[in-house]
């Protein structure tokens, strides 16, 4: 089957280094794993339009066909840029209509109606042909965030009514709207309520490529208290923006009371507007010599970096409003790498790490909840996070147990190929029932399992 993948968001390069670029690449790999051919229509290939040196093309996607339709505003300013995105999305649809595709897949972008326009162009073309039928090429819209609301709250939106109109047409024309979390699905249902011919709205969370991201050699073997000769290393992967809570992580790292804390390492992998502030804070806290800022890293380098972490952290602060809608790509990648995880108890993380809904912290005074696959702490609570790091630094067997359970869970239930198979079946299209099911589970010997009976830390509940 031939698939047109439409990506009109000018902030996302198909071969860029953002998490969104990883998401795009992994969906393309998953479609291919199911035996389908993908052509991408996008506004830029790398982090910056027209700058090949900002592209990070993975070897396995070097043969991917990519058609670039640049966003070229006639003048400076938000209004001109919004119009240019709409124009680029129209050109994308027109170029794709020159070929025959059997599935249209679009990542929702403000001011883009590319998928809806392509679907209607196919219908118009078939109406003009005398072959007696009109094909209905299915359209899937992927929604990762309530962009109308985000743009209004955190950025600048000139033509709010135009953005709403384009969103309603883009989503309302779809056969299936694939939402990354239940709060996003609720937003979409509310937006489309009362519209004629509402599409099927379903939740397909982020996933992980468990072939690309694997535990390090020797993972699963019990280690010394601080991981042998290596310094105990805490890591974070993601964009350095305020809503990721990296300042909370830095303060928690500095506040640790562990006797070996002065030998620990903290690594930030990713770039963003918070970096300079974090560097100054590290100096003020007296830990600058223990902290490394790697900056933006190509997605293909992330698997090796993850194997250097002993604990990986998702330190989200307390959300400003109810309904934390992220589906954190980073946490799935941490688990696939066989790294013990500490995360804030928000959104879908309690269910992912502990199997419990809600906030998973059952008592108001409870500061750490140890799930089967990771530790949960209250969002924004640097003391609880520091305590969780202390507990895991002292208990290598606990880290191994969490890492094993986390890797097993994502291999079994959270691969991109499984996510893609669920989507294809929802549209009534073919999927390989074997795709993504061949990743071997990590193996622990009975002797190793017997050794992994570490007592629970004080104050930690299961």
């Amino acid at each position: 089957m031939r698939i047109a993948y439409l990506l009109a968001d000018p902030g996302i390069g198909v071969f860029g280094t953002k998490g969104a670029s990883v998401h795009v690449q992994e969906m393309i790999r998953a479609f291919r794993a199911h035996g389908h051919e993908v052509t991408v229509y996008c506004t830029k290939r790398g982090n910056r339009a027209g700058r090949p040196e900002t592209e990070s093309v993975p070897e396995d996607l070097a043969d991917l066909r990519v058609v670039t339709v640049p966003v070229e505003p006639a003048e400076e300013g938000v209004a001109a840029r919004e119009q240019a995105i709409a124009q680029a999305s129209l050109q994308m649809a027109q170029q794709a209509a020159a070929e025959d595709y059997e599935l249209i897949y679009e990542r929702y972008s403000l001011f883009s109606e590319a998928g809806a326009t392509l679907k209607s162009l196919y219908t118009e073309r078939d109406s003009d042909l005398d072959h007696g039928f009109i094909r209905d090429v299915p359209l899937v819209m992927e929604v990762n965030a309530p962009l109308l609301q985000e743009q209004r709250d955190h950025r600048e939106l000139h033509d709010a009514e135009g953005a709403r109109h384009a969103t309603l047409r883009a989503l309302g024309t779809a056969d299936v709207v694939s939402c990354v979390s239940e709060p996003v699905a609720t937003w979409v249902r509310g937006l489309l309520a009362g519209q004629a011919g509402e599409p099927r709205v379903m939740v397909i969370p982020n996933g992980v490529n468990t072939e690309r991201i694997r535990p390090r050699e020797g993972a699963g073997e019990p280690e010394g208290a601080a991981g042998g000769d290596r310094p105990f290393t805490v890591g974070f992967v993601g964009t350095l923006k305020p809503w990721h809570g990296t300042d909370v992580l830095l303060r928690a790292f500095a506040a640790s009371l562990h006797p070996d804390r002065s030998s620990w390492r903290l690594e930030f992998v990713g770039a963003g507007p918070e970096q300079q502030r974090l560097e100054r804070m590290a100096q003020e806290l007296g830990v600058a010599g223990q902290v490394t800022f790697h900056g933006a890293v190509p997605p293909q380098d992330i698997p090796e970096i993850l194997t250097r972490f002993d604990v990986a952290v998702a330190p989200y602060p307390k959300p400003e409003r109810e309904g934390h809608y992220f589906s954190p790509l980073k946490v799935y990648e941490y688990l696939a790498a066989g790294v013990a995880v500490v995360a804030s108890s928000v959104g879908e993380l309690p269910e992912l790490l502990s199997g419990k809904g809600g906030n998973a912290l059952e008592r108001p005074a409870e500061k750490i909840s140890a799930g089967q696959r990771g530790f949960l702490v209250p969002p924004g609570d640097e003391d609880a996070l520091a305590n969780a790091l202390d507990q895991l630094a002292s208990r290598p067997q606990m880290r191994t147990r969490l890492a094993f359970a986390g890797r097993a869970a994502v291999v079994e239930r959270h691969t991109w190929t499984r996510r893609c198979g669920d989507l294809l079946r929802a549209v009534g299209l073919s999927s390989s029932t074997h795709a993504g099911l061949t990743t071997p589970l990590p193996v622990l010997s009975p002797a190793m399992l017997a050794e992994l009976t570490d007592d629970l830390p004080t104050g930690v509940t299961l």
Side-chain angles (χ1 to χ4, degrees):
M1 179 173 68
R2 299 188 70 206
I3 299 173
Y5 189 121
L6 307 174
L7 178 62
D9 190 332
I12 303 172
V14 63
F15 297 130
T17 55
K18 288 183 174 181
S21 300
V22 173
H23 192 157
V24 172
Q25 292 174 22
E26 292 297 357
M27 277 304 294
I28 291 167
R29 287 191 180 98
F31 280 134
R32 288 177 148 196
H34 282 277
H36 304 303
E37 177 185 328
V38 181
T39 297
V40 177
Y41 295 81
C42 60
T43 61
K44 63 180 184 181
R45 291 172 56 92
N47 286 331
R48 301 186 65 177
R51 299 280 295 275
E53 70 274 19
T54 66
E55 298 176 18
S56 300
V57 184
E59 188 175 341
D60 65 325
L61 296 180
D63 63 338
L64 178 68
R65 183 167 173 249
V66 178
V67 178
T68 306
V69 182
V71 172
E72 296 177 327
E75 54 190 68
E76 296 290 328
V78 175
R81 185 170 175 79
E82 292 173 355
Q83 292 170 8
I85 295 170
Q87 182 62 29
S89 77
L90 175 61
Q91 291 175 6
M92 269 183 200
Q94 291 170 335
Q95 292 192 29
E99 303 188 39
D100 286 322
Y101 292 104
E102 294 153 280
L103 173 65
I104 306 166
Y105 189 89
E106 180 173 11
R107 183 183 172 108
Y108 165 54
S109 309
L110 275 184
F111 297 101
S112 173
E113 304 173 47
T117 301
L118 177 55
K119 190 177 174 79
S120 67
L121 288 173
Y122 278 147
T123 301
E124 290 173 15
R125 187 183 66 181
D126 286 356
S127 300
D128 292 337
L129 298 176
D130 189 23
H131 51 43
F133 69 93
I134 296 175
R135 291 181 310 154
D136 184 17
V137 179
L139 166 62
V140 174
M141 290 296 301
E142 174 195 290
V143 184
N144 295 283
L147 295 182
L148 272 176
Q149 177 182 313
E150 268 194 357
Q151 193 76 5
R152 196 164 43 230
D153 293 349
H154 302 294
R155 305 182 189 95
E156 191 174 354
L157 184 60
H158 174 78
D159 184 5
E161 187 52 38
R164 179 179 172 80
H165 174 82
T167 295
L168 288 175
R169 181 174 180 238
L171 301 183
T173 307
D175 297 273
V176 168
V177 179
S178 168
C179 301
V180 76
S181 66
E182 186 55 45
V184 171
T186 299
W187 177 76
V188 170
R189 292 186 188 104
L191 200 63
L192 298 179
Q195 298 282 313
E198 282 186 41
R200 177 180 177 184
V201 179
M202 61 187 298
V203 175
I204 296 187
N206 280 332
V208 66
N209 184 334
T210 52
E211 296 287 350
R212 191 172 66 85
I213 300 179
R214 293 168 171 269
R216 68 170 177 268
E217 290 292 326
E221 297 174 2
E223 298 179 342
D229 295 332
R230 297 183 302 106
F232 178 73
T233 302
V234 179
F236 169 89
V237 176
T239 306
L240 303 183
K241 291 185 175 177
W243 52 85
H244 284 163
T246 44
D247 57 334
V248 176
L249 172 57
L250 188 54
R251 283 193 292 270
F253 179 86
S256 163
L257 299 177
H258 195 279
D260 296 329
R261 205 276 289 156
S262 61
S263 67
W264 289 8
R265 302 288 309 170
L266 173 59
E267 299 193 12
F268 289 101
V269 182
E274 285 283 281
Q275 182 164 335
Q276 289 188 347
R277 189 172 78 90
L278 293 171
E279 289 173 341
R280 288 196 301 272
M281 186 184 298
Q283 291 283 355
E284 293 164 2
L285 293 169
V287 297
Q290 297 171 254
V291 181
T292 301
F293 292 92
H294 290 275
V297 171
Q300 54 267 38
D301 292 347
I302 294 295
E304 191 277 332
I305 290 175
L306 288 175
T307 62
R308 302 203 298 260
F309 295 172
D310 294 289
V311 175
V313 183
Y316 291 105
K318 188 174 182 179
E320 293 179 359
R321 63 180 70 186
E322 292 295 321
H324 189 278
Y325 58 80
F326 297 152
S327 177
L329 196 64
K330 64 170 66 61
V331 177
Y332 288 105
E333 294 188 342
Y334 294 163
L335 295 171
V339 180
V341 174
V342 181
S344 299
S345 184
V346 295
E348 67 181 36
L349 290 174
E351 184 170 359
L352 177 62
L353 297 181
S354 72
K356 299 176 183 176
N359 64 14
L361 301 174
E362 296 176 347
R363 296 183 293 274
E366 193 172 67
K367 288 296 186 181
I368 304 175
S369 175
Q372 295 177 350
R373 299 179 283 275
F375 279 15
L376 291 158
V377 295
D381 190 330
E382 59 198 51
D383 292 334
L385 179 52
N387 187 17
L389 296 177
D390 288 349
Q391 302 287 0
L392 288 171
S394 298
R395 291 170 172 79
Q397 292 182 340
M398 172 69 81
R399 298 202 303 270
T400 302
R401 186 168 65 188
L402 294 173
F404 175 80
R407 167 77 185 179
V410 293
V411 167
E412 182 182 3
R413 292 190 291 274
H414 301 293
T415 64
W416 281 116
T417 43
R418 280 187 178 275
R419 303 287 196 245
C420 185
D422 292 343
L423 177 70
L424 290 170
R425 285 187 288 277
V427 193
L429 298 173
S430 63
S431 67
S432 167
T433 55
H434 299 293
L437 303 181
T438 56
T439 307
L441 289 167
V443 175
L444 289 181
S445 69
M448 289 178 181
L449 284 171
E451 292 177 2
L452 299 180
T453 54
D454 212 6
D455 292 336
L456 287 175
T458 302
V460 174
T461 58
L462 273 174

